[in-house]
Amino acid sequence: MSSDYEYSDEEIDDVFDDDEMDYQDDNGDDGMDMDDFKVVPKTTRKAYELEYDSLAQAAIEKLMEQDVEHIHGILGVDSGAAGLLLRHMSWNKERLIEKYMDNANKMLVAAGAIQPEPEVTRPSRRPTRKVTKRSPSPPKTAGPFVCSICFDDSSDLTPLALDCGHAACSGCWEAYITSKVRDEAEHTCRCMAEGCGLVAPDSFVRAAVDDEIYARFQELLVRHFVGCTPHLKFCPYPSCTNTVSCPAAASKVSLSTVVPTVSCGARGLASDPSLSQSQELVRQATGKEHKFCFGCMIDSDHRPVVCAVAALWLKKCRDDSETANWIKSNTKECPKCQSTIEKNGGCNHMTCKKCKHEFCWVCMGPWSEHGTAWYSCNRYDEKGGVDARDTQSKSRASLERYLHYYNRWANHEQSAKLALDMFAKTEKKMEEMQITSTLTWIEVQFMKKAVEELDKCRTTLKWTYAMAYYLAKGNQKDLYEDNQRDLERAVEDLSELLESPIEPENIPSLRQKVTDKTVYVQKRNQIVLEDTADGFLEGRWQWNATVDGFDEVGEA
């Protein structure tokens, strides 16, 4: 029995790429050496894809060391001072060099690398009173070291001091830096002496604290570096320390034409009980890296809609704007006192409880003018009057339009949240296939790949409805919705296939159908993403609401 969609072996291999699937046999060992079967990645990048790199913390520390060495070589300062200068200037090397060349001493003082030079007192031209000179106090004799913080004078104390010479015992320094790093999450540790602005360099911190606190200190430095570098961003997944570098998304201008979806590249992250997002469930089930948007605060893949439109949609779903729409659709305001009134009977003769004004619910005119001919208010005033029923119907139509797109958006979001159950059911079916047929564990992986592709497409479909809500009517929107419809139909067909019962005699046929439709679904998903991305680059999309970075058009 043939499938509705048949593809060549090359197209199927493109979807079922071996380097994206981690197979294990029943004993937990690798079923085969997948490196022998890896397909050489294509160099052509799709319109909706951006080039990015996933970097571990060690790689970020290496970048920081390179910047420090760069400043050390150009300015001639030691590495400790170079690091303090870079942190003071938020790791902007060009700006640092420019300001250092203008006034080196001022920059070093501001960064906490050196003490300010004492001010030279100029002689005053005004007459001064004669001051009786007192004999200077005798210098203090050298004695045992006394800590200026805890006033301990034990003989076994180890004094530590920065270049300023304000010494304190090693215990006080350790407690001070530990509190700064662990409790305050602060990487700038100034001298403990009052009024002293020197900052402890990395070498001093390393000597003063233990390995755990210094590791935390290094992590804070990395976070400061990443936060100051536009093309770097931390993975928002809990417990993940990877950083993503995406230079193409560093400019806010590019965010109006591309959706910078990236992944951290880390696998096997620990789960977070407080995280209830569907992406976390799917990532844990599939062992894949965490995907997120580099350009905004949305912690998920929101392609094909750009960041500004996605944020606008989420805000609309969160706030009470639809409560106001319901009020507009079901209530009216008293023509006299503007009190909100809800009709609770069939009679159109309304009396405001607040001001006792009597009016007609249909035309909102005074009831005294109706008499026995109140039904004449069904006529539209051709002279430019506004029918109250028309205003209410527009409000109701606006609400129904919003609910149309929201219900479909929420439906796909709910389906994504149930992805974990789908993965669990699919694994059971894969085991059943092994028992009732001659297929191996490697050969039944087509089911897992189908579920993964299904989840990706549901995420795409979810956000297509958010974009469709803001698209203005026209040919472009019609074509967009045609692609949306084809993808949704393909997704439902594949979902129905995956949920069908397993019958031993139909396993070969089911495998062929699922494989072909998985390829078809992926192709339809690519068409939607590519066409939408091309539309942003070409400026084809017209909007029915004001979105940051886009032109305002009329209401759809």
Side-chain angles (χ1 to χ4, degrees):
M1 186 175 186
S2 62
S3 173
D4 296 337
Y5 312 99
E6 295 185 357
Y7 293 89
S8 64
D9 293 340
E10 290 78 6
E11 291 177 307
I12 294 177
D13 290 340
D14 186 40
V15 176
F16 293 85
D17 195 356
D18 291 331
D19 63 348
E20 294 182 359
M21 305 174 69
D22 299 328
Y23 301 137
Q24 291 185 338
D25 59 19
D26 296 334
N27 297 324
D29 299 328
D30 292 342
M32 60 177 66
D33 187 2
M34 302 308 296
D35 292 338
D36 297 336
F37 299 93
K38 282 188 177 180
V39 180
V40 177
K42 298 179 180 180
T43 56
T44 304
R45 189 179 300 107
K46 298 180 176 61
Y48 57 88
E49 295 177 338
L50 290 179
E51 184 177 358
Y52 64 90
D53 292 320
S54 179
L55 307 174
Q57 180 171 326
I60 300 298
E61 292 176 358
K62 186 66 175 178
L63 294 177
M64 295 167 58
E65 292 176 3
Q66 292 175 358
D67 286 355
V68 170
E69 290 301 319
H70 178 72
I71 295 300
H72 166 68
I74 292 181
L75 303 185
V77 297
D78 60 74
S79 298
L84 295 178
L85 286 169
L86 282 167
R87 294 169 212 168
H88 175 67
M89 293 301 297
S90 300
W91 297 91
N92 189 329
K93 299 188 296 294
E94 292 75 15
R95 184 64 175 162
L96 168 59
I97 295 173
E98 178 185 346
K99 293 181 74 66
Y100 188 89
M101 294 303 178
D102 291 341
N103 192 329
N105 189 72
K106 181 179 179 180
M107 284 297 301
L108 289 170
V109 171
I114 63 172
Q115 283 187 299
E117 296 180 356
E119 297 182 0
V120 179
T121 305
R122 297 182 179 180
S124 176
R125 296 181 180 179
R126 297 180 181 178
T128 58
R129 295 180 299 173
K130 186 176 181 180
V131 179
T132 303
K133 293 184 179 181
R134 298 179 180 179
S135 58
S137 302
K140 296 181 179 179
T141 57
F145 170 72
V146 179
C147 177
S148 60
I149 303 300
C150 65
F151 299 104
D152 191 356
D153 59 355
S154 302
S155 59
D156 59 346
L157 290 181
T158 303
L160 292 177
L162 301 176
D163 293 341
C164 57
H166 299 137
C169 69
S170 58
C172 288
W173 271 111
E174 182 179 8
Y176 168 69
I177 296 177
T178 299
S179 176
K180 279 283 187 181
V181 172
R182 185 171 58 190
D183 301 336
E184 302 180 23
E186 178 62 59
H187 60 79
T188 302
C189 302
R190 297 189 180 275
C191 177
M192 291 185 287
E194 184 178 358
C196 185
L198 283 189
V199 178
D202 296 359
S203 57
F204 185 91
V205 175
R206 184 69 188 92
V209 298
D210 57 25
D211 294 342
E212 181 183 354
I213 298 301
Y214 187 72
R216 173 61 176 164
F217 175 76
Q218 286 290 99
E219 183 182 343
L220 292 176
L221 292 181
V222 169
R223 289 189 174 276
H224 181 254
F225 177 78
V226 172
C228 296
T229 309
H231 66 85
L232 295 178
K233 190 172 184 179
F234 273 112
C235 173
Y237 188 86
S239 76
C240 182
T241 59
N242 277 25
T243 302
V244 175
S245 173
C246 186
S251 173
K252 291 185 178 180
V253 177
S254 64
L255 296 181
S256 62
T257 56
V258 296
V259 184
T261 300
V262 298
S263 62
C264 67
R267 296 171 182 259
L269 297 174
S271 61
D272 182 7
S274 65
L275 200 62
S276 59
Q277 299 172 342
S278 60
Q279 289 77 14
E280 196 277 336
L281 297 176
V282 174
R283 197 206 57 76
Q284 289 294 334
T286 60
K288 297 295 184 181
E289 62 271 13
H290 180 61
K291 286 188 176 183
F292 62 97
C293 179
F294 190 93
C296 64
M297 300 302 294
I298 300 177
D299 184 15
S300 63
D301 179 4
H302 60 78
R303 290 177 295 185
V305 62
V306 291
C307 298
V309 180
L312 195 65
W313 171 258
L314 291 179
K315 181 179 182 300
K316 184 174 183 63
C317 296
R318 283 194 305 264
D319 62 17
D320 295 331
S321 60
E322 299 320 311
T323 301
N325 273 345
W326 184 92
I327 294 174
K328 290 180 181 178
S329 302
N330 297 274
T331 65
K332 294 182 180 181
E333 295 179 350
C334 172
K336 185 176 181 180
C337 68
Q338 308 303 315
S339 298
T340 302
I341 299 174
E342 180 182 7
K343 187 179 181 182
N344 60 358
C347 179
N348 290 316
H349 181 189
M350 307 299 295
T351 302
C352 177
K353 291 185 178 181
K354 185 176 182 180
C355 67
K356 307 303 180 182
H357 176 67
E358 299 182 28
F359 61 94
C360 174
W361 179 262
V362 178
C363 68
M364 303 301 291
W367 187 256
S368 59
E369 298 179 0
H370 285 67
T372 58
W374 64 270
Y375 52 84
S376 62
C377 64
N378 68 325
R379 297 181 180 274
Y380 182 74
D381 186 2
E382 298 292 345
K383 297 180 180 180
V386 178
D387 192 346
R389 291 170 296 177
D390 184 55
T391 303
Q392 187 181 23
S393 63
K394 285 184 177 180
S395 179
R396 184 179 293 108
S398 176
L399 177 61
E400 290 176 353
R401 179 177 178 273
Y402 164 75
L403 291 177
H404 169 86
Y405 292 102
Y406 175 79
N407 288 336
R408 285 153 180 78
W409 183 84
N411 175 59
H412 286 292
E413 184 178 41
Q414 180 66 20
S415 298
K417 290 180 179 179
L418 298 175
L420 188 60
D421 294 335
M422 174 67 81
F423 277 106
K425 293 178 181 178
T426 302
E427 286 189 354
K428 291 182 179 180
K429 288 186 176 182
M430 292 164 63
E431 295 173 358
E432 184 180 349
M433 284 184 181
Q434 279 188 280
I435 298 173
T436 58
S437 69
T438 59
L439 297 179
T440 65
W441 182 248
I442 300 298
E443 293 172 330
V444 298
Q445 291 296 319
F446 71 93
M447 293 287 289
K448 180 181 178 183
K449 181 62 181 179
V451 176
E452 292 176 2
E453 203 62 43
L454 198 65
D455 180 73
K456 293 178 184 178
C457 294
R458 287 199 181 278
T459 301
T460 300
L461 280 171
K462 178 180 75 171
W463 287 103
T464 57
Y465 283 105
M467 180 171 172
Y469 176 77
Y470 291 106
L471 283 178
K473 289 182 178 179
N475 292 333
Q476 293 300 328
K477 184 176 182 180
D478 293 340
L479 294 174
Y480 174 86
E481 291 182 334
D482 287 344
N483 289 331
Q484 181 190 50
R485 177 201 60 208
D486 293 340
L487 175 59
E488 186 147 27
R489 182 183 300 169
V491 165
E492 294 306 321
D493 289 344
L494 179 58
S495 180
E496 185 177 354
L497 263 181
L498 292 175
E499 293 178 0
S500 60
I502 300 295
E503 298 179 2
E505 63 274 10
N506 293 333
I507 288 179
S509 174
L510 177 64
R511 183 187 181 194
Q512 184 64 45
K513 286 184 177 181
V514 171
T515 301
D516 289 343
K517 288 199 175 182
T518 301
V519 177
Y520 179 74
V521 163
Q522 193 212 42
K523 296 297 182 183
R524 296 307 315 178
N525 191 40
Q526 288 182 357
I527 289 173
V528 171
L529 294 177
E530 287 182 348
D531 179 70
T532 309
D534 290 338
F536 282 115
L537 293 173
E538 299 166 4
R540 281 194 275 119
W541 307 122
Q542 299 295 321
W543 310 96
N544 57 30
T546 302
V547 182
D548 292 340
F550 301 98
D551 295 329
E552 181 180 5
V553 297
E555 176 68 20

